[in-house]
Amino acid sequence: MIVRGSLSVFGRYILLKCAVGGAMVKQQRKIHKTSALITALMFAAILCAGCGSQHKPDGTSSNNAFELKYGSCDMPSGWVKDKDDSTSDKPFFVPKGYDGNGVPDNISIEYGRNRYSKEQSQEFGNSILQQLGMQTRGQTVGQITASGTTTEHGDTMLVYKFSLSDRTCTQYYIVGDRSYVMVYETNFDGSSDCDEAAKQIADTFKWK
């Protein structure tokens, strides 16, 4: 069974395994300070995201392409689609060789709709931060970090990373026109392979 961290930013919550202790007043003050800092960082990151990219716009890969209803991406070497937890709308990927026992590192891809145009990526980014702050209140270890970049195909991508008591979660949002694709990495053992696989999926995503 696949276990994840916080779910997507629009309307769904899951039970997280362990809450960080401390008084509610201290938690609220910490969240407000963190949100203000992240909002400033996100504003700067989004402005820089469209200024250029380290990727080539038409980058190619030797890995097999994974086709989705709304686009495609490279399938990282050493990772396979998990048949038990995947759906036609939301595939999950786990390390090759996972036998179903225990909780594996995992990566999912999900499509969603919103009210923001491509030009409103800053507003979209702020709404994600607000929802993440609400959903993970009292659960995170340290701060939520936010950054902005572009994919190999030139699309704006917003990246959020936060740690829970037993896992690190990274969300990649590829911005579309009143839509988005979220690549969600849940890393339990601190594996750099999991980090690289999730980043590759996000970087190589291409809209249909």
Side-chain angles (χ1 to χ4, degrees), residues 128-165:
I128 295 172
L129 281 173
Q130 291 174 2
Q131 290 290 334
L132 277 177
M134 291 169 53
Q135 292 178 3
T136 63
R137 180 171 295 178
Q139 311 291 338
T140 56
V141 179
Q143 296 182 341
I144 300 172
T145 62
S147 60
T149 184
T150 54
T151 68
E152 288 187 358
H153 301 283
D155 293 304
T156 298
M157 181 164 65
L158 311 177
V159 186
Y160 303 84
K161 187 171 184 177
F162 54 95
S163 295
L164 306 178
S165 61

Side-chain angles (χ1 to χ4, degrees), residues 98-132:
Y98 171 61
D99 59 4
N101 294 318
V103 182
D105 293 340
N106 61 87
I107 304 165
S108 68
I109 309 174
E110 181 177 3
Y111 171 83
R113 300 285 300 175
N114 59 37
R115 61 186 179 88
Y116 302 100
S117 67
K118 281 188 174 183
E119 292 72 28
Q120 294 176 304
S121 57
Q122 180 187 342
E123 291 87 344
F124 180 42
N126 287 336
S127 74
I128 295 172
L129 281 173
Q130 291 174 2
Q131 290 290 334
L132 277 177

Side-chain angles (χ1 to χ4, degrees), residues 11-46:
R12 289 177 297 171
Y13 297 85
I14 66 171
L15 180 64
L16 300 174
K17 291 179 64 178
C18 180
V20 177
M24 181 61 70
V25 173
K26 291 182 179 179
Q27 291 176 352
Q28 290 176 341
R29 288 176 179 171
K30 178 181 177 181
I31 289 167
H32 291 322
K33 291 179 181 178
T34 300
S35 297
L37 174 62
I38 294 173
T39 299
L41 292 174
M42 175 56 72
F43 177 74
I46 291 173

